[in-house]
Amino acid sequence: MALRTAVLRHLRVPVTGSNQSQIGFLGSIRAFSSHDDHLSKQEVVDRVLDVVKCFPKVDPAKVTPDVHFQKDLGLDSLDTVEIVMAIEEEFKLEIPDKEAEKVDSCPLAIEYVFNHPMSS
Amino acid sequence: MSGVSSAAYFARRVAQKERVRILYRRALKDTLNWAVHRHIFYRDASDLREKFNANQDVEDVDRIDKLIAHGEAEYDKWRHPDPYIVPWAPGGSKFCRNPTPPAGIEIVYNYGQEDNP
């Protein structure tokens, strides 16, 4: 018994740092909070791609997460406006006019939606 | 000379395109405000798109300006009195409802100890 405690006292188990960083990240997420509707990046990507694929003037096979609406999909500037409006409706956002002008391609749209605090 | 004028021409065209895009965006949102049911909205949205497409090949800058001004007058005439705005956006019902309190202010929970120390 004394031997066991003596052995245990001399054994040092190294603390893994990866667990700590993970818990540090999870510490910002509270359990049972009502602020749990922040979207994950993959979900945002999936939903934005769904919106673009459902657009009637778009060929769904060509839609990838890094596609440009006017250059790659051959859409008009008015079509870009329509797509941005559809994304606004999908994520319940209100994009100001100046920002909506700049959203020109899929990666920009995904980034905007993901970084917006109120997207749901 | 012609280089300067063509640069000004292109700058004017770019500004016009931006105006057209903003006008189309607002008109489309307005159409959604008026026509809440989706099938009516789709019909009205295609009509609006036809109106914009009919003038898309005009090259004369002054004529484009007149068309844009005409479109903006039409938009002003048809603006919805009670548009749908997302609640947390300016103009919505939740805007500025619960602003974050200024930094440095905190509530001290001492439960009446200021009267009975």
Side-chain angles (χ1 to χ4, degrees), chain B residues 52-83:
Chain B
F52 271 79
N53 278 346
N55 295 328
Q56 71 177 353
D57 289 324
V58 177
E59 294 291 328
D60 180 24
V61 194
D62 295 321
R63 185 147 173 251
I64 298 179
D65 273 340
K66 284 198 194 107
L67 286 169
I68 296 179
H70 177 74
E72 283 172 356
E74 281 258 350
Y75 164 69
D76 279 333
K77 186 175 117 181
W78 279 103
R79 272 172 73 168
H80 197 279
D82 184 22

Side-chain angles (χ1 to χ4, degrees), chain A residues 12 24 29 33 59 66 69 76 82 87 90 97 105 107 114:
Chain A
R12 293 274 175 265
I29 297 181
S33 154
D59 179 16
D66 53 358
F69 296 142
D76 205 3
E82 287 182 16
I87 292 178
E90 166 76 19
D97 289 337
S105 56
F114 184 63

Side-chain angles (χ1 to χ4, degrees), chain B residues 24-77:
Chain B
Y24 182 61
R25 196 176 138 80
R26 291 190 183 158
L28 203 55
K29 285 197 173 161
D30 222 31
T31 320
L32 187 55
N33 282 333
W34 281 112
V36 183
H37 297 289
R38 215 65 198 187
H39 58 280
I40 309 179
F41 165 65
Y42 283 142
R43 210 183 324 144
D44 288 345
S46 0
D47 288 341
L48 178 72
R49 186 66 200 262
E50 291 306 312
K51 277 195 230 169
F52 271 79
N53 278 346
N55 295 328
Q56 71 177 353
D57 289 324
V58 177
E59 294 291 328
D60 180 24
V61 194
D62 295 321
R63 185 147 173 251
I64 298 179
D65 273 340
K66 284 198 194 107
L67 286 169
I68 296 179
H70 177 74
E72 283 172 356
E74 281 258 350
Y75 164 69
D76 279 333
K77 186 175 117 181

